[in-house]
Amino acid sequence: ETIKENIINLRGINAGKFKIIHHGVDPIKKLMKEEESVYKKNFCISNKELVLLIVGHLDEERKGHVELFKALSLINDKMPPYKLLVVGDGERFEFLKHLACDLNISKNVSLLGYRQDIRELNLVADILLQPSTAFEGIPYSIRDAMSARTPIIASSVGGIKESVENDKNGYLVDGGNINQLSRAILSLCKSKERRVEMGIISEKMFLNKFLLDEMVKKHENFYLDILSNEENIKLSKLEP
């Protein structure tokens, strides 16, 4: 919807010419308890620690890594035991590693670099973080988190608002607002009940909006409608 509005505003295209079909993905296959324990053990995460997850290329400043680190530093002494998993690679890897040290949160932060098991990591995570500071579409990381029944804390920018509803399947904060971000993280980390409630809603929203099979059906119906309209136009031209 956001991309549609941008195109309409920039190019003046008639809104009636658009049909929105969200990009769909297959649902995530749930992990067995034993598999989840293995993942946590591999990252030196105890069963008492909450798992926070952020996914994104480290060189894209708009992904909000710096803002997230600063937000965590404000509440680190008030947080329950936790580990932040940072998935992504880039030239800023060492910079972020040193920033975590400077902010005294290095014991709680694991920079994992490039990973191919992001969907599985969503199943281990208790909260997905998407603190983007500038325009986003609808990130794959959010759709994967929704499928994994994971609540989300994200910035209210771009298409994120189409996948995260504030106080329903997560919390929305203003992009770049470190204080709002820190309050949202602390609040959700301290309430297992809210995390479970929001996770269930997340999965329901995923099944309603982002399921691959539904996307395929919508594409098929869209093309059939076009063909049907063209056929009707041809027939109308043949009428005397």
Side-chain angles (χ1 to χ4, degrees):
E1 190 70 38
T2 303
I3 294 174
K4 168 189 167 183
E5 290 174 3
N6 286 344
I7 294 174
I8 290 171
N9 293 332
L10 288 172
R11 301 188 181 181
I13 298 175
N14 187 335
K17 298 288 186 181
F18 285 85
K19 171 71 174 179
I20 296 176
I21 300 176
H22 289 111
H23 188 81
V25 294
D26 280 321
I28 292 178
K29 182 181 178 182
K30 302 297 188 287
L31 292 176
M32 301 292 288
K33 279 291 183 184
E34 296 79 6
E35 294 175 300
E36 185 176 329
S37 296
V38 169
Y39 261 95
K40 287 187 175 182
K41 187 176 181 181
N42 288 341
F43 300 121
C44 300
I45 299 171
S46 73
N47 290 328
K48 293 181 180 180
E49 289 179 301
L50 291 174
V51 180
L52 312 183
L53 177 67
I54 179 172
V55 179
H57 200 285
L58 303 185
D59 291 342
E60 291 192 55
E61 293 185 19
R62 67 186 176 90
K63 293 297 183 182
H65 294 93
V66 171
E67 288 75 13
L68 173 59
F69 282 20
K70 289 180 178 179
L72 288 172
S73 73
L74 294 178
I75 55 174
N76 204 44
D77 59 343
K78 302 174 185 176
M79 287 277 284
Y82 78 95
K83 185 76 74 176
L84 171 66
L85 303 182
V86 182
V87 177
D89 207 352
E91 294 180 1
R92 296 206 311 161
F93 188 95
E94 289 299 322
F95 163 75
L96 291 172
K97 186 176 179 180
H98 289 304
L99 180 62
C101 290
D102 292 341
L103 294 172
N104 296 316
I105 59 170
S106 58
K107 291 182 179 179
N108 300 97
V109 176
S110 293
L111 282 91
L112 306 182
Y114 174 76
R115 304 281 304 191
Q116 291 186 317
D117 57 350
I118 295 173
R119 304 197 90 196
E120 288 77 10
L121 289 175
N122 267 290
L123 291 166
V124 176
D126 294 287
I127 302 170
L128 176 79
L129 301 164
Q130 189 79 41
S132 306
T133 60
F135 183 84
E136 291 273 9
I138 303 177
Y140 274 103
S141 55
I142 286 183
R143 282 173 283 196
D144 284 342
M146 295 171 74
S147 177
R149 199 177 286 183
T150 304
I152 303 148
I153 296 175
S155 300
S156 181
V157 296
I160 289 177
K161 300 187 293 291
E162 296 174 45
S163 52
V164 182
E165 294 186 25
N166 191 47
D167 210 27
K168 290 189 176 180
N169 67 321
Y171 291 127
L172 288 172
V173 301
D174 294 333
N177 192 317
I178 295 170
N179 289 323
Q180 283 186 14
L181 180 59
S182 63
R183 288 196 296 269
I185 293 171
L186 184 60
S187 174
L188 198 51
C189 282
K190 285 192 170 184
S191 178
K192 182 178 181 180
E193 183 179 356
R194 289 297 286 142
R195 293 197 303 273
V196 171
E197 289 174 355
M198 287 180 169
I200 291 171
I201 295 172
S202 247
E203 185 180 39
K204 288 180 179 178
M205 289 174 63
F206 168 82
L207 294 174
N208 287 333
K209 296 180 72 172
F210 302 116
L211 196 61
L212 180 60
D213 288 347
E214 289 302 314
M215 181 203 72
V216 172
K217 289 178 184 176
K218 288 177 181 178
H219 272 94
E220 289 177 345
N221 292 333
F222 177 64
Y223 291 129
L224 288 172
D225 286 343
I226 292 174
L227 292 172
S228 176
N229 289 335
E230 288 182 350
E231 188 63 29
N232 289 335
I233 291 172
K234 289 179 182 178
L235 291 173
S236 65
K237 287 181 179 179
L238 294 176
E239 293 178 358

